[in-house]
Amino acid sequence: MVKRPTVCIFADFEPDLVAAIEENCRVRFVDMASPRVHQLAALHNAQGVLLNPLTPADTEFFEAAPRLRVLSTASVGYDTIHVAEATRRGVVVCHTPGVLTAAVADLTMVLVISLARRLFDNERYVRSGGWARGDPLPELGSDVGGKTLGVVGFGRIGQEVTRRMQGFGMRTLWYDAVADPHPQVPASRYRPLDELLRESDFVTVHADLNDASRHLIGAEELQMMKPTAYLINTARGGLVDQRALTEALRGGSIAGAALDVLETEPPAPDDPLLRLPNVVCLPHIGTATTETRRRMRELAVQNLLAALAGEIPPAIVNPEVVTGDW
Ligand code: DGY
């Protein structure tokens, strides 16, 4: 009888998804609150891992899992996974693109409009009794129609945000580190990053985080933005130099920011960014809808089972591993 592969689950998955894995595999749940040494010990004979985006898969992780064949994360971002190490060891890395595009684009759209219309200031005004006391209203907002949106990173999510904001009458520009990302949004214009930053009223970031893109938006880039412009980040905190952003917001070199992601998550309670009046911070909720999170977990399981069955998984990060005698 063929021995069933062992799969370690570092995440909360619904019983039906776990049952689908158990049809062909032995499942081991790893307590994510347990010390790392215990988590690593659980990997000793694992051939598959279902990962959450908060658990780093570094060299030590791979060393603890010498039999690993597939690492499937329930996230599109894989910046916490040492992909080169996985590839060197022949481990397939999979992620969940596509199924979360609309959810992240929706949140980005809400943030652009909320900043423009000063939604958060007005909400605070009512909640703190300003209206009841007859205090002056917060400053007026601005229309988004006719304003320029600069989209930094023009993959699936950047293009979906562009489509949505064109629907609100915005002029849209894009920049991507990949020279030709095959954009599907014809009415958007390419600009080099510095020109995009100078021209845009709203800059929204949608790139992958890697060594080349870390601090893509730093002090110099923030200086290029208009003093009336806003920055939105629903991608990864490390794309923006948070210290430089704090200074830019404090000094008024940009008007404000809306951040669903931070360089350190969760932030320290005394993080100066959290005390600035012109920043809105959310707790990384870009994909946080019931339907989207379910689709992400389904795709993560499909990826895992396909790879364990020797098939090419639907969403693979390092396809070079599945060539040759795979
Ligand atoms: C993703 O899928 O990468 C989201 O940011 C959730 O971590």
Side-chain angles (χ1 to χ4, degrees), residues 53 75-77 100 236 284 287 296:
S75 63
V76 68
L100 45 71
R236 281 292 182 270
H284 202 142
T287 63
M296 291 165 73

Side-chain angles (χ1 to χ4, degrees), residues 52-54 73-79 96 100 104 234-236 260-261 265 284 286-288 293 296:
N52 71 78
L54 301 176
T73 178
S75 63
V76 68
Y78 49 86
D79 45 291
T96 62
L100 45 71
V104 180
T234 57
R236 281 292 182 270
D260 183 41
V261 287
E265 293 179 8
H284 202 142
T287 63
R293 287 278 169 88
M296 291 165 73

Side-chain angles (χ1 to χ4, degrees), residues 215-286:
H215 290 186
L216 181 65
I217 307 292
E220 208 181 316
E221 288 73 24
L222 290 161
Q223 279 300 327
M224 291 176 190
M225 290 174 63
K226 300 177 186 180
T228 51
Y230 292 93
L231 180 75
I232 297 100
N233 187 2
T234 57
R236 281 292 182 270
L239 294 166
V240 177
D241 179 344
Q242 198 167 305
R243 191 184 295 227
L245 176 63
T246 305
E247 285 314 308
L249 289 164
R250 199 182 266 142
S253 67
I254 68 170
L259 309 171
D260 183 41
V261 287
L262 294 173
E263 277 203 89
T264 305
E265 293 179 8
D270 60 350
D271 188 325
L273 190 74
L274 301 179
R275 286 202 283 274
L276 296 176
N278 50 351
V279 66
V280 172
C281 290
L282 298 176
H284 202 142
I285 57 163

Side-chain angles (χ1 to χ4, degrees), residues 298-321:
E298 283 172 356
L299 181 50
V301 171
Q302 269 175 38
N303 281 329
L304 174 96
L305 294 179
L308 287 176
E311 294 157 15
I312 307 242
I316 181 165
V317 170
N318 53 352
E320 58 272 37
V321 171

Side-chain angles (χ1 to χ4, degrees), residues 133-172:
R133 281 195 304 271
D135 292 350
L137 276 168
E139 264 178 60
L140 289 181
S142 61
D143 293 338
V144 290
K147 297 290 187 322
T148 299
L149 177 74
V151 177
V152 177
F154 209 46
R156 291 182 187 83
I157 298 174
Q159 294 185 33
E160 201 56 46
V161 169
T162 300
R163 265 187 218 103
R164 279 164 173 60
M165 299 323 297
Q166 285 177 345
F168 287 87
M170 290 190 91
R171 172 178 172 257
T172 57

